[in-house]
Amino acid sequence: REERLFFHCSSFLDREQAQGLRDGAEVAFLVDKDRDGRLVAQQLASLPKGTVSFYTLLGGTVRGTVDRALRQPSSKGYQPRDQISRDAFGGQVVYKEEGAGPKDKPIKVMFDGEDMADARGVVPSVGDTVEFQVCLDKPSKKKKASGVRVVAYAEGAGREQGVVTKVKEGIAYAFIKCCDREEQLFFHSSAFKELAPAPPKATKPRTAEAP
């Protein structure tokens, strides 16, 4: 279900479990109606962390292209451009299923900030190649991308090229001599991002030669 359910701490089967309750706690419960006919959670019980899953995996890892970049909620204020907020939303990737022909239409699936494999990984831009898993979102019953990782940059996409210069041993910052601008740009070593490793290339099996 997509709606959120209200509960009272007295609804825990074990009252001690309600003490020190925090956001992110995982629980099992029954759904009932209150006196006003609203759905509420009853008979709650705590579950071990990692038990609850909102998705059902529909297959293995696939590759696609970012068709729409993530958007940051305006109410969240400043967000560093090299970090992915879990509250970001509205990303979209396109891909084709294995075995699809040239006339088959590509499939579009959405992804949000919480669907990124690494919040401090490469921020995906339109045209970037990504790896991900297609999942079924249980509440909405819609397909979406999960575990999204950038594996190749799109040409352009606002990214520039240059050569690192003025590196000093023991210092975590340096400068970049840019190809497309006269001034050199400062950067900190923490700004480096790693792309997801490329899958190993398939090799033909070697056959034994006849003596």
Side-chain angles (χ1 to χ4, degrees), residues 14 24 51 64 100 116 120 127-128 131 156 162 168 172 180 185:
D14 184 348
T51 302
M116 295 298 300
R120 297 192 63 85
D128 285 350
E131 284 188 344
K168 294 184 180 180
D180 301 307
L185 296 182

Side-chain angles (χ1 to χ4, degrees), residues 64-70 91-94 111 116 123-130 132 148-150 152 154:
T65 305
V66 177
D67 186 51
R68 187 188 304 158
L70 289 168
Q92 181 173 273
V93 294
V94 294
F111 70 98
M116 295 298 300
V123 180
S125 299
V126 173
D128 285 350
T129 301
V130 292
F132 58 94
V148 181
R149 293 176 61 91
V150 177

Side-chain angles (χ1 to χ4, degrees), residues 96-106:
K96 282 192 174 184
E97 293 182 329
E98 187 176 355
K103 294 184 178 181
D104 293 327
K105 292 184 177 180

Side-chain angles (χ1 to χ4, degrees), residues 206-211:
R206 298 181 64 182
T207 56
E209 297 181 357

